[in-house]
Amino acid sequence: SLIGHGVRIDESQDDHELYLNANKIAHEIDRYRPTLGVRNFKNSELLEDIYAYNDFICKDLTKGLDNPKTIKKGDAPYLVTEYLGHMEPTKSFDSEAQRVYHALRHAKVIDDNYKYDELCGAIGWCFFDYYTHKDFGSGDRICYHGVFDMGRNPKLASYIYKSQQDEEDVLEVLSSLTQGDRPQAFYHEIYVATNLDYVDLYKNETFIKRYYPSRDEFKYMPHPPILINDLIGESFIEPKVKSLKDRKRFASLLSYVAINGLLELKTKHYVTMGYLMLKYKLKYPDLVDIFNRYVSCWGKQTIIYTFKGYKNDKLVKEVKRGPSLKQELRVNLSKDYLETKDTYDALRISVALVNEYDMVLPYASSIVDVEVEGPIELLSPKSESLKGGQLSLYIRSTAKKGRTSQTKRRDQS
């Protein structure tokens, strides 16, 4: 959507005469739309209708955007025209911790966007990764600044945006729940991007806990992500521990270890552990046994986590996470026909390697070979490797006029 005309050179210094005339010309050409000009410094001279500013203040999860009152003087509308981008470049095949952190940085900016009434909007840099010149990028002349990759395949951050609307139910677990993908082989924190009311977590068939949007962390955005910081919850049942209160203490201690790891235990945790060991005459082997059954689960039954999302107390979506034992190619078309009228038509085919839970395998780099037949032409390479477990193919019509539809699909891996 064209919401305004930019009349300043991007991030340039003030130039009264030049920008006075540029603003005037824009209004003469289009008297219906406002003008703006992008700045990267505060308290600039405003000659346009909208004060536009690139706000890259976000350095961590404590602050997303600057207070508009510190940026400009007066009552003119204020629009953030760029944020994040080079502050947190993230590849679709980066570690899970990095991809989740990237998503949370975007969530923080979105939250601050809603926080300030003086702010009429914020535009992120940027939608997609892109090629760039030799002096920028990541050594491969690619800027990984997008919430999608160059093939228009989603990164985790994209689901933070997708979950801010109410037309489509969204439930995206921002973790594979594979311990080996995390430092110390522990999950730390698990986030769920969703616009649902709450999520019930199950470990296999056992109910763990109900979770609600994290309003403490994200106070203003329409649909904050949900923080999962307890993988034990109500599942702890230990006959030796008789007291309900002590069971909750034990469960809390185990949950902390499951999320943060043994190396992160604090003095209060050791005190609680000592108290419970003395009270119930537990030995070190008893603790190891409990740890293996509730936390590590190595060599035991396969653990499947199920996230059930509810809206208006009705189950509307379900997501599973567990060890990947199967792999298959998932193929989706942007549309199922090509129609040539005055010019050729084209469509996009997204290809992803997924496991049995329909989760994209982000470290997959398999080669995909493509053949086409019929009145179509492949616009993409015939052989291409997956990046972050995904890639996009593009085909176009070759007939002068007519319509071709998908009648059958043959998937090969």
Side-chain angles (χ1 to χ4, degrees), residues 253 269-279:
L253 182 61
H269 299 123
Y270 287 109
V271 171
T272 300
M273 187 188 307
Y275 166 78
L276 294 170
M277 289 179 70
L278 286 172
K279 183 174 181 179

Side-chain angles (χ1 to χ4, degrees), residues 179-228:
Q179 290 173 301
D181 202 19
R182 288 292 190 145
Q184 304 176 38
F186 290 96
Y187 301 115
H188 299 287
E189 295 175 331
I190 300 163
Y191 283 88
V192 179
T194 186
N195 54 6
L196 305 182
D197 297 334
Y198 57 85
V199 169
D200 283 350
L201 175 62
Y202 291 79
K203 183 178 180 180
N204 290 339
E205 301 301 321
T206 302
F207 176 71
I208 300 297
K209 195 172 180 178
R210 176 166 291 177
Y211 282 98
Y212 293 89
S214 184
R215 282 286 172 199
D216 290 341
E217 193 172 0
F218 304 99
K219 294 179 170 41
Y220 305 98
M221 62 198 300
H223 300 290
I226 291 176
L227 170 61
I228 306 289

Side-chain angles (χ1 to χ4, degrees), residues 73-117:
K73 299 174 182 177
D75 298 324
Y78 173 54
L79 177 68
V80 171
T81 36
E82 289 183 27
Y83 62 80
L84 281 179
H86 65 281
M87 302 299 288
E88 195 63 37
T90 299
K91 305 170 183 65
S92 58
F93 45 88
D94 274 341
S95 70
E96 179 180 290
Q98 172 60 34
R99 289 180 285 117
V100 172
Y101 183 63
H102 178 234
L104 295 178
R105 289 275 293 268
H106 278 272
K108 185 60 182 176
V109 174
I110 293 172
D111 199 51
D112 277 3
N113 185 11
Y114 283 92
K115 175 181 179 179
Y116 297 114
D117 292 335

Side-chain angles (χ1 to χ4, degrees), residues 126-368:
C126 59
F127 207 175
F128 306 112
D129 295 343
Y130 58 95
Y131 285 116
T132 188
H133 53 79
K134 64 180 179 61
D135 299 322
F136 208 47
S138 297
D140 51 6
R141 299 196 182 187
I142 297 176
C143 276
Y144 295 96
H145 297 175
V147 296
F148 287 74
D149 67 16
M150 279 197 294
R152 278 49 179 167
N153 299 299
K155 301 179 188 178
L156 295 182
S158 69
Y159 295 104
I160 299 294
Y161 291 90
K162 188 177 182 180
S163 62
Q164 298 313 303
Q165 46 75 42
D166 293 297
E167 296 178 7
E168 175 187 354
D169 295 331
V170 177
L171 180 63
E172 186 68 26
V173 180
L174 305 184
S175 174
S176 64
L177 269 76
T178 51
Q179 290 173 301
D181 202 19
R182 288 292 190 145
Q184 304 176 38
F186 290 96
Y187 301 115
H188 299 287
E189 295 175 331
I190 300 163
Y191 283 88
V192 179
T194 186
N195 54 6
L196 305 182
D197 297 334
Y198 57 85
V199 169
D200 283 350
L201 175 62
Y202 291 79
K203 183 178 180 180
N204 290 339
E205 301 301 321
T206 302
F207 176 71
I208 300 297
K209 195 172 180 178
R210 176 166 291 177
Y211 282 98
Y212 293 89
S214 184
R215 282 286 172 199
D216 290 341
E217 193 172 0
F218 304 99
K219 294 179 170 41
Y220 305 98
M221 62 198 300
H223 300 290
I226 291 176
L227 170 61
I228 306 289
N229 56 6
D230 184 354
L231 294 177
I232 306 298
E234 298 180 21
S235 69
F236 182 77
I237 301 173
E238 193 63 33
K240 292 181 180 180
V241 182
K242 306 296 184 182
S243 164
L244 179 61
K245 185 176 181 180
D246 287 340
R247 285 183 180 180
K248 289 183 177 180
R249 286 174 173 169
F250 225 126
S252 177
L253 182 61
L254 288 171
S255 179
Y256 182 88
V257 173
I259 294 292
N260 299 284
L262 289 166
L263 298 179
E264 303 300 324
L265 286 172
K266 297 178 171 53
T267 302
K268 64 179 182 179
H269 299 123
Y270 287 109
V271 171
T272 300
M273 187 188 307
Y275 166 78
L276 294 170
M277 289 179 70
L278 286 172
K279 183 174 181 179
Y280 295 101
K281 300 179 181 179
L282 299 173
K283 306 295 184 183
Y284 179 74
D286 296 322
L287 293 181
V288 172
D289 176 62
I290 292 172
F291 175 84
N292 288 335
R293 281 189 285 119
Y294 288 97
V295 179
S296 71
C297 303
W298 292 350
K300 304 292 182 181
Q301 178 187 6
T302 298
I303 301 300
I304 308 298
Y305 289 99
T306 303
F307 300 78
K308 296 184 178 183
Y310 291 80
K311 180 179 285 187
N312 298 323
D313 292 323
K314 180 182 178 181
L315 177 63
V316 295
K317 252 181 137 45
E318 185 174 302
V319 172
K320 293 181 181 293
R321 289 288 186 267
S324 295
L325 304 177
K326 299 178 182 178
Q327 299 178 358
E328 64 178 7
L329 282 179
R330 183 183 68 198
V331 179
N332 291 317
L333 280 66
S334 59
K335 56 183 179 180
D336 59 4
Y337 67 90
L338 291 172
E339 189 169 20
T340 302
K341 294 182 178 178
D342 298 328
T343 185
Y344 69 87
D345 195 7
L347 62 81
R348 169 179 172 264
I349 304 172
S350 62
V351 180
L353 190 66
V354 300
N355 64 11
E356 58 267 49
Y357 312 112
D358 201 38
M359 188 194 80
V360 175
L361 302 175
Y363 308 122
S365 57
S366 308
I367 301 293
V368 176

Side-chain angles (χ1 to χ4, degrees), residues 30-61:
D30 185 350
R31 61 191 179 91
Y32 297 103
R33 290 185 177 87
T35 57
L36 54 90
V38 177
R39 301 153 171 83
N40 62 350
F41 61 96
K42 300 180 180 182
N43 295 316
S44 166
E45 180 185 23
L46 179 63
L47 300 170
E48 307 85 52
D49 301 307
I50 299 172
Y51 193 103
Y53 177 74
N54 292 345
D55 188 343
F56 290 103
I57 193 66
C58 183
K59 297 178 181 178
D60 50 37
L61 299 180

